[in-house]
Amino acid sequence: MYQLPSCNPCKTISIPTELRDSLSCLDIVWSNIFETVDSKINPDRARQYEVDFLQGAPPTWPNFDKSANLKLVERDGFNDLIQLIEEKREKSCLITDVSLQYQPGSGGSTLAMQVLWHFRKDLRCARVIDSDLDTKKLSKQVVDLFLLSNEKHAEQDRKTVLLLLDTKEKTDNDLPIKNDLWENLIEEIHNRGISTQTPVVIILNCSTADFSLNDTLILDSKLSEEEIRQFKEKLLHQIRLQRKSQWEVTTIKLLYHKDSSGSAVVREVLQDLREECEIQTEPFTTEITENKEEFRKEIEDRANTLLEIYETHKKPVLVLLDHRDDKSLRYLLKNLQSKLQRSDRPDHPAFIIINAVKKSVVRAPGHVKLKLELLPDEKEKFAQKRQEIEKKHKKISKTFHAFNIMQGGFQKEDAEKVITEEMVNHIGKDKQSSSTRLLSFLALMNSYVPGSHLLKPLCKKFIEQTEWPTDERKPSVEMIMKPFMDLIVIFSDGEQNCIRLKHPMIADACLKRFTENKLTRSDIALDFLKSMVKGNESNYKQICKRMLVTRPDGLIEKEKFSRLILDIIREGKTNKCISLLERASNLFSTDPFYPQALARLYYIGVTEESKYQEAEKWAEEAIKRDHKKSHIRDTLGQVHKNHLRSEVKKPCTNIDEMLHIALSAIDAFKREEKAAEDELVDNTRFNNRGHFGFLQVCKEISDLRPLISPNNPLQQKYHDFINGLRAEVESKYDFFEWYLTFSRLSNKKDDPDYFREDDEDCYKRYFTQTDQLEKMALNEKKMKSFGGLLHFLKSDIDVLEQNLIAIEKPRSKNETQTILYIFANIILSQSNKPSEKSQELQDMLQKLWSTEVHGRSPEFYLLILLLFWPHEAKQEKENPPNFENCVKYMSQSYERTYQKYLHGRHLVPLFFYGKGEGLQILVHSKLDKTDLDLLTEGDGSVEVKCLQRIDGKVEDHKVFAVRNGQQIPVVAHNRASVCRRGQVSFYLGFTIRGPVAYNIRYQN
């Protein structure tokens, strides 16, 4: 009988067959797995599982049974994960998570399964079987596992679920699957009326990461000598990991406590690398200035200096920086990348940039990283394990390439050594044989989509079609692949037999051998599409998309194309990329992403004159395949926009032709806007690219003005056309002003810098008067909007002070004027500038409230909350606004005005409730970055000195602030922290949607 741990630590519970069968989304690790007579594994089968795993097959649960196998090596992150989970299981919340990020081939999936195995008798451990499934269905089953019941009123035995989510795919809306699952789990828990002291679920969220491109390290204060030694070791290993990469520029972000010797520790490590790299440790702390030209010149000069050093020494340049501001670093990185258009692809980066940032508080990471590097103690463990393996498995242990490559420290040389001279000769002589071709397919797939595999029956079918078209004595796949069997592992995924190379590094090494033998990546990929994919499209849909379409994250933004396409372009074979994508587009004839990628390739990567016509053709084909998806429509607008940009740069210009292109671009972006609006019924995140594309086109059109004669009546139509864009330019500017002020992409990620820059630049071009400075025109505009006024806190508050007279003190009950005047005074008070007293501002606002309480703007209700929020130590104003109603009306107003555009984005807290008097009790969200991180990412234990905790309570999973007899509803910043009824306290923030409770703490 299958058993699971009970809430009584001395017991286990037998699981009825009916309940077990209902948990079809979960691979459950039973607490008595392999311990009962009927579940024990046959020794020969156990040995085969072990051999397969050591050779490179994915881990299976029998690999962890120590009674039948050698114990697996526990990598450096194992104890860290155990400790993190032990800490998380004591948290008072509905759901929490632990993150494991790993490089493919480093043993990440194995480590995650080791952790589940470790907890199988203590928690209810399960792995998600299919990461691309219905998260609502999965959520229901996870809660069933927690309750051990799928009935509402059944007797329940509750125990925290440890859920392994090892996901390599994303959902259609480009949000990680964990986000969807998290929200659905909370809904399911609420629906079941569950209150709990400890988590219902701990999600062990595994994801692949490329630490050879970037990483973040943390150095706390008061570390022992041993801890500092270990930190130096980790930093040195990270630098060496990046030293082996083929990225042009890589970064390491070091967050060090102000009381630690962060920069000194880094300098000591850099001394050990003087032979391998050029070291640059001069301080460089470029700050963003109002003079953008001066700032850009400083960045440009610095980049040129660094480039000169690299070109002189031809080895990686290690640069130590101290940038508090991420924006200036992004400018430097972008500048360096634009200067490094290298086609030679050397085996090292030009620059490894270490950005050391001093912090008043550094938080221990809530995640574990697993890299293609071994620390010294890991090397010892693997060396001992190798002796045990050789003793047990004798000669066959030489074929355990996955283990051996790991044990050797993931060296390229070890992967290259397993490809024998006979194999290389076979590749050279028999390029057209099915064995060579199958190996090339595996090399390509496992290099660009690590962990992928070919299905053995489809390999057999391929062999039969190419070498044995008749039924006469057809050989097995193993016989055909005999020359390369030492590189291959065959395993079962539970349904079918699969084939892959034993390690991703072997795939890289094989690919290198193929290219040396004049079999290029593009040749192999084209052959793969023709010979393996054709007729079996459904089997290879995801693999082809990840190889040919999926764009990896770069240092600043996504790369322009997939890794494979980028590598083929670097070989100077853009035409081959076109052939590949055309072939894939024909095979996957309903998929819009292949023609979309082709359109992008034409307008970005091709130099021929006809490239825009071809790009337009493929962009329109993508739209035909999915005309409802706004992101697909965006590509056509980008084609026309880039065409216009290239025409404007030409010395001889045809204005009619350019305006025709501009109209095409505007039309495409407007259609995209319409599609984006239509998509909102599906509760998706709003696509702002149509709005932004329109502004970029208008910005390009404004460059045509010098070419148009103001006195030529024949050119009047051009003036009329450009001037006719002003109203919509202003409308789009207004949209981005509040959109970028009230929200950001996510809690941890800002929108690209160029969004606000282009938005403001476009406005200035259309609205600056002849006798006016551009900056003055922009400041005048900003003083006319709520979002614009907030901008002055981040830039130049003196401008607002000098121009407050422009915001007239309202004499009527005009809501807009009153709001701007009151808010301007609040902003001035935040910088200790002279401002109206809060009493006077309250009086003005109360007059408006007394005439009409509902149907007003969210900004109006926000000011009511900011100015009238009840102070515990002070007597309230006479007849104060009813806060319960105010919050309700604000929520309704937000839904009418902003919700459809801001859904799925992180709402920025505009103010927090502090400890001062009058207007000084408000604290703008331009807090110390550390405090802001603690508020948005911390828990109930967090203390923020400048803010006061508000008393409240939780009922029915809803949070209320309790003030002077009123129960004011507030939204929990972290919904999972609301886990039961009771008295609570929290920090109070205000977003454009209403009051928000941060860092909720239960009183008992």
Side-chain angles (χ1 to χ4, degrees):
M1 197 69 162
Y2 294 98
Q3 292 183 335
L4 284 172
S6 166
C7 59
N8 182 338
C10 303
K11 289 183 178 179
T12 58
I13 295 182
S14 297
I15 309 304
T17 305
E18 186 182 345
L19 177 60
R20 195 176 75 233
D21 292 345
S22 72
L23 305 176
S24 57
C25 299
L26 301 172
D27 174 17
I28 298 170
V29 192
W30 308 105
S31 58
N32 62 339
I33 187 171
F34 308 135
E35 292 176 7
T36 59
V37 174
D38 54 346
S39 69
K40 278 192 176 295
I41 306 174
N42 174 288
D44 292 334
R45 284 191 67 198
R47 185 184 180 88
Q48 189 57 50
Y49 278 126
E50 184 171 71
V51 167
D52 289 346
F53 172 68
L54 292 168
Q55 286 187 333
T60 54
W61 294 120
N63 296 129
F64 303 93
D65 179 15
K66 284 181 279 187
S67 67
N69 293 283
L70 296 173
K71 185 185 175 186
L72 302 183
V73 175
E74 291 165 357
R75 282 211 61 185
D76 182 57
F78 178 78
N79 289 329
D80 294 333
L81 276 176
I82 299 298
Q83 184 181 336
L84 280 171
I85 291 167
E86 291 287 5
E87 290 168 7
K88 297 278 186 176
R89 66 187 293 193
E90 300 303 319
K91 284 189 71 170
S92 187
C93 60
L94 296 177
I95 310 168
T96 185
D97 70 320
V98 174
S99 172
L100 169 61
Q101 298 172 299
Y102 64 93
Q103 285 184 272
S106 64
S109 294
T110 305
L111 174 57
M113 290 173 70
Q114 280 176 296
V115 170
L116 257 65
W117 185 264
H118 171 87
F119 281 108
R120 74 192 185 283
K121 293 182 181 293
D122 205 14
L123 298 170
R124 291 179 186 159
C125 298
R127 180 172 61 162
V128 177
I129 290 173
D130 180 2
S131 62
D132 197 23
L133 46 65
D134 178 354
T135 52
K136 286 188 177 177
K137 181 180 174 185
L138 173 60
S139 301
K140 183 186 180 307
Q141 293 187 17
V142 171
V143 177
D144 288 346
L145 183 59
F146 168 73
L147 299 172
L148 280 192
S149 169
N150 49 21
E151 298 169 28
K152 277 197 172 179
H153 305 292
E155 191 177 327
Q156 296 163 350
D157 186 299
R158 301 178 173 195
K159 190 80 176 174
T160 298
V161 174
L162 178 59
L163 184 71
L164 170 56
L165 186 66
D166 193 356
T167 161
K168 298 169 183 67
E169 301 300 327
K170 293 193 173 183
T171 53
D172 288 341
N173 60 7
D174 204 35
L175 290 171
I177 287 169
K178 191 201 86 173
N179 292 19
D180 278 352
L181 178 60
W182 189 284
E183 291 302 316
N184 286 321
L185 278 168
I186 289 176
E187 290 303 320
E188 184 67 28
I189 291 165
H190 285 182
N191 291 341
R192 306 265 193 115
I194 296 170
S195 291
T196 178
Q197 299 271 11
T198 52
V200 173
V201 191
I202 301 171
I203 299 175
L204 175 52
N205 188 43
C206 297
S207 57
T208 55
D210 188 356
F211 299 116
S212 70
L213 175 63
N214 54 18
D215 193 19
T216 300
L217 300 179
I218 291 172
L219 181 63
D220 210 339
S221 61
K222 298 175 184 174
L223 296 182
S224 65
E225 284 186 18
E226 174 59 19
E227 287 171 324
I228 289 174
R229 183 193 67 77
Q230 288 174 357
F231 174 81
K232 286 181 180 176
E233 227 166 50
K234 286 188 175 179
L235 176 58
L236 187 62
H237 276 74
Q238 178 57 35
I239 293 170
R240 289 201 162 128
L241 177 69
Q242 292 188 347
R243 167 75 179 75
K244 293 187 286 189
S245 81
Q246 291 191 341
W247 294 100
E248 292 169 334
V249 184
T250 68
T251 63
I252 300 169
K253 188 172 187 177
L254 169 61
L255 305 176
Y256 67 94
H257 193 280
K258 61 184 176 60
D259 295 333
S260 73
S261 49
S263 287
V265 170
V266 176
R267 282 183 166 83
E268 287 174 32
V269 172
L270 297 188
Q271 289 301 318
D272 296 338
L273 294 161
R274 288 203 168 274
E275 293 299 313
E276 301 172 44
C277 307
E278 269 307 302
I279 312 294
Q280 288 291 300
T281 59
E282 293 84 2
F284 173 51
T285 55
T286 304
E287 298 297 330
I288 298 287
T289 63
E290 282 298 304
N291 188 332
K292 287 182 181 174
E293 289 309 312
E294 184 184 311
F295 167 71
R296 283 179 178 146
K297 185 178 184 310
E298 190 172 346
I299 292 285
E300 178 84 17
D301 291 346
R302 180 64 177 179
N304 285 333
T305 302
L306 290 172
L307 192 65
E308 201 174 303
I309 293 168
Y310 172 68
E311 287 176 343
T312 301
H313 299 278
K314 292 297 179 190
K315 59 182 180 179
V317 181
L318 259 171
V319 187
L320 178 59
L321 303 179
D322 183 5
H323 275 260
R324 293 179 188 280
D325 185 274
D326 286 343
K327 190 173 181 181
S328 53
L329 177 61
R330 288 196 295 270
Y331 271 105
L332 178 64
L333 294 174
K334 211 162 189 175
N335 208 300
L336 287 172
Q337 286 176 319
S338 68
K339 295 174 187 298
L340 283 166
Q341 300 299 324
R342 306 186 305 177
S343 57
D344 52 325
R345 303 286 287 156
D347 60 353
H348 64 259
F351 302 103
I352 300 173
I353 295 177
I354 302 174
N355 184 28
V357 181
K358 188 192 295 183
K359 308 271 280 184
S360 56
V361 178
V362 293
R363 296 173 61 220
H367 55 255
V368 170
K369 299 170 183 175
L370 206 60
K371 304 176 182 178
L372 293 172
E373 281 283 330
L374 293 184
L375 295 170
D377 61 329
E378 289 182 299
K379 287 179 181 175
E380 286 180 25
K381 287 184 196 174
F382 273 97
Q384 290 171 6
K385 185 57 61 180
R386 180 162 192 163
Q387 291 177 2
E388 292 176 35
I389 287 170
E390 286 175 348
K391 185 177 178 183
K392 179 177 178 179
H393 292 285
K394 309 292 189 298
K395 286 184 180 179
I396 196 176
S397 64
K398 291 180 180 176
T399 69
F400 295 168
H401 299 321
F403 174 84
N404 293 338
I405 285 171
M406 193 177 284
Q407 187 260 324
F410 305 100
Q411 300 302 315
K412 284 182 184 176
E413 297 76 19
D414 289 343
E416 288 169 357
K417 271 192 308 193
V418 302
I419 305 170
T420 63
E421 198 174 327
E422 289 83 357
M423 293 178 189
V424 175
N425 290 337
H426 187 90
I427 291 168
K429 289 177 186 174
D430 296 305
K431 288 178 187 170
Q432 293 308 309
S433 68
S434 52
S435 56
T436 300
R437 289 166 69 196
L438 269 177
L439 181 70
S440 72
F441 301 157
L442 289 168
L444 189 80
M445 281 171 48
N446 292 162
S447 183
Y448 287 96
V449 190
S452 58
H453 57 258
L454 292 174
L455 292 174
K456 189 177 176 184
L458 294 182
C459 293
K460 192 176 181 194
K461 182 179 169 186
F462 165 75
I463 291 166
E464 289 169 355
Q465 286 172 344
T466 53
E467 297 205 10
W468 266 267
T470 66
D471 288 332
E472 291 178 24
R473 212 167 154 218
K474 294 176 180 174
S476 65
V477 173
E478 288 85 346
M479 283 178 65
I480 288 293
M481 294 304 292
K482 189 176 179 182
F484 307 115
M485 277 307 291
D486 191 40
L487 309 178
I488 291 167
V489 62
I490 299 175
F491 61 92
S492 170
D493 67 354
E495 295 179 3
Q496 299 190 74
N497 282 337
C498 309
I499 302 178
R500 75 180 190 192
L501 293 179
K502 291 179 176 178
H503 196 274
M505 291 181 73
I506 294 176
D508 295 339
C510 284
L511 213 48
K512 183 180 172 186
R513 291 294 192 187
F514 279 116
T515 53
E516 287 169 356
N517 279 275
K518 305 293 185 284
L519 268 172
T520 65
R521 291 173 175 82
S522 53
D523 294 334
I524 296 167
L526 203 55
D527 190 17
F528 176 65
L529 291 176
K530 287 178 184 175
S531 309
M532 289 296 288
V533 178
K534 188 177 180 182
N536 303 299
E537 287 85 355
S538 60
N539 295 101
Y540 297 108
K541 182 181 175 183
Q542 288 302 325
I543 288 173
C544 288
K545 190 169 277 189
R546 289 177 67 189
M547 273 204 299
L548 299 170
V549 174
T550 303
R551 297 157 58 193
D553 290 329
L555 272 179
I556 302 165
E557 56 191 355
K558 280 189 180 294
E559 295 289 327
K560 289 184 170 65
F561 305 103
S562 73
R563 273 204 312 129
L564 175 59
I565 295 295
L566 284 170
D567 283 343
I568 297 171
I569 289 172
R570 288 186 187 107
E571 292 170 354
K573 296 176 180 174
T574 303
N575 285 340
K576 293 278 189 180
C577 294
I578 291 170
S579 301
L580 259 180
L581 288 170
E582 282 181 350
R583 170 72 65 167
S585 182
N586 290 334
L587 288 171
F588 300 98
S589 56
T590 60
D591 192 321
F593 294 106
Y594 292 101
Q596 183 188 43
L598 264 165
R600 297 187 79 256
L601 182 59
Y602 268 109
Y603 82 76
I604 294 172
V606 173
T607 54
E608 285 83 358
E609 279 294 312
S610 63
K611 68 178 191 172
Y612 293 110
Q613 288 76 18
E614 286 295 317
E616 183 180 353
K617 179 186 86 175
W618 286 107
E620 285 175 343
E621 172 61 26
I623 291 169
K624 270 186 209 168
R625 295 184 184 190
D626 193 346
H627 66 278
K628 291 183 179 178
K629 191 164 276 180
S630 62
H631 286 283
I632 295 296
R633 285 190 171 278
D634 182 64
T635 306
L636 182 59
Q638 299 298 336
V639 170
H640 292 310
K641 182 193 81 181
N642 280 274
H643 191 186
L644 176 65
R645 195 171 277 170
S646 71
E647 291 295 321
V648 168
K649 288 176 184 173
K650 290 179 181 176
C652 299
T653 52
N654 180 332
I655 296 176
D656 281 313
E657 174 62 24
M658 282 191 282
L659 291 185
H660 173 72
I661 298 167
L663 279 169
S664 297
I666 287 170
D667 179 63
F669 285 127
K670 286 192 178 237
R671 288 172 186 270
E672 179 185 358
E673 282 179 41
K674 171 74 168 55
E677 293 273 352
D678 293 343
E679 283 172 340
L680 294 176
V681 296
D682 298 326
N683 215 22
T684 57
R685 179 185 285 190
F686 178 69
N687 171 20
N688 58 40
R689 291 288 172 163
H691 284 60
F692 186 64
F694 173 85
L695 282 175
Q696 287 186 308
V697 171
C698 291
K699 189 176 151 190
E700 296 297 332
I701 292 171
S702 71
D703 287 339
L704 300 179
R705 278 179 166 151
L707 305 174
I708 301 169
S709 169
N711 303 316
N712 185 345
L714 295 174
Q715 294 190 325
Q716 185 61 39
K717 63 178 181 179
Y718 304 142
H719 276 294
D720 293 344
F721 172 73
I722 294 173
N723 289 333
L725 297 170
R726 290 184 78 219
E728 202 159 355
V729 165
E730 185 168 27
S731 169
K732 297 288 192 290
Y733 169 84
D734 291 340
F735 171 85
F736 281 108
E737 185 69 270
W738 59 256
Y739 183 83
L740 297 173
T741 301
F742 296 153
S743 69
R744 55 193 292 207
L745 264 176
S746 70
N747 188 20
K748 298 180 182 178
K749 194 173 181 183
D750 285 316
D751 293 278
D753 301 327
Y754 56 77
F755 261 45
R756 193 175 284 281
E757 289 169 6
D758 282 9
D759 182 39
E760 293 180 351
D761 192 19
C762 190
Y763 179 84
K764 287 186 290 191
R765 290 178 186 223
Y766 280 82
F767 288 91
T768 303
Q769 305 300 318
T770 50
D771 59 344
Q772 190 181 36
L773 293 172
E774 282 190 343
K775 188 178 174 185
M776 193 186 301
L778 187 64
N779 284 337
E780 281 183 9
K781 175 65 176 170
K782 285 188 178 295
M783 281 186 281
K784 295 175 184 175
S785 74
F786 201 86
L789 286 170
L790 266 172
H791 166 81
F792 290 110
L793 267 179
K794 298 177 183 175
S795 58
D796 192 351
I797 195 69
D798 294 331
V799 173
L800 177 59
E801 187 182 18
Q802 292 157 16
N803 292 277
L804 185 60
I805 194 166
I807 307 173
E808 294 180 16
K809 189 169 184 175
R811 296 194 180 98
S812 66
K813 292 179 181 177
N814 180 294
E815 180 182 328
T816 304
Q817 285 183 358
T818 305
I819 283 175
L820 290 176
Y821 184 78
I822 292 172
F823 196 53
N825 279 277
I826 291 174
I827 297 295
L828 287 170
S829 74
Q830 290 289 298
S831 296
N832 299 315
K833 299 287 184 182
S835 60
E836 292 267 25
K837 289 194 169 73
S838 62
Q839 178 75 41
E840 293 169 13
L841 300 176
Q842 283 178 329
D843 290 341
M844 292 167 62
L845 204 54
Q846 195 157 19
K847 284 177 187 174
L848 286 177
W849 177 264
S850 63
T851 59
E852 185 66 57
V853 295
H854 52 75
R856 293 192 181 274
S857 67
E859 290 85 346
F860 172 81
Y861 296 114
L862 176 61
L863 290 182
I864 292 283
L865 293 175
L866 294 180
L867 289 178
F868 289 95
W869 189 269
H871 196 297
E872 283 187 338
K874 254 175 86 178
Q875 190 173 351
E876 276 192 3
K877 193 173 171 60
E878 256 184 67
N879 299 318
N882 182 301
F883 286 96
E884 294 174 50
N885 286 340
C886 179
V887 170
K888 180 175 77 174
Y889 297 147
M890 186 175 183
S891 176
Q892 291 168 353
S893 181
Y894 170 82
E895 285 175 20
R896 286 193 308 271
T897 314
Y898 297 128
Q899 179 168 298
K900 69 178 182 178
Y901 299 111
L902 300 184
H903 171 76
R905 287 173 63 85
H906 172 68
L907 294 183
V908 174
L910 305 173
F911 290 90
F912 289 97
Y913 198 70
K915 294 178 176 177
E917 291 288 330
L919 295 179
Q920 295 303 312
I921 204 165
L922 301 175
V923 179
H924 176 51
S925 65
K926 195 184 178 185
L927 284 163
D928 178 275
K929 178 89 168 61
T930 305
D931 284 341
L932 200 53
D933 288 345
L934 289 171
L935 282 163
T936 54
E937 297 174 37
D939 56 26
S941 63
V942 162
E943 296 291 346
V944 180
K945 289 179 183 175
C946 64
L947 304 181
Q948 65 166 295
R949 279 194 165 269
I950 303 293
D951 290 330
K953 67 177 187 177
V954 171
E955 285 182 0
D956 297 326
H957 297 293
K958 294 185 178 76
V959 187
F960 299 89
V962 179
R963 296 299 249 197
N964 300 339
Q966 291 191 68
Q967 291 190 43
I968 308 165
V970 295
V971 174
H973 170 67
N974 176 8
R975 291 176 70 202
S977 65
V978 184
C979 57
R980 63 182 188 278
R981 290 166 60 97
Q983 302 300 310
V984 294
S985 68
F986 48 80
Y987 293 118
L988 183 67
F990 301 92
T991 70
I992 197 60
R993 185 171 59 191
V996 180
Y998 292 85
N999 308 131
I1000 294 171
R1001 179 189 297 167
Y1002 281 85
Q1003 302 291 35
N1004 300 316

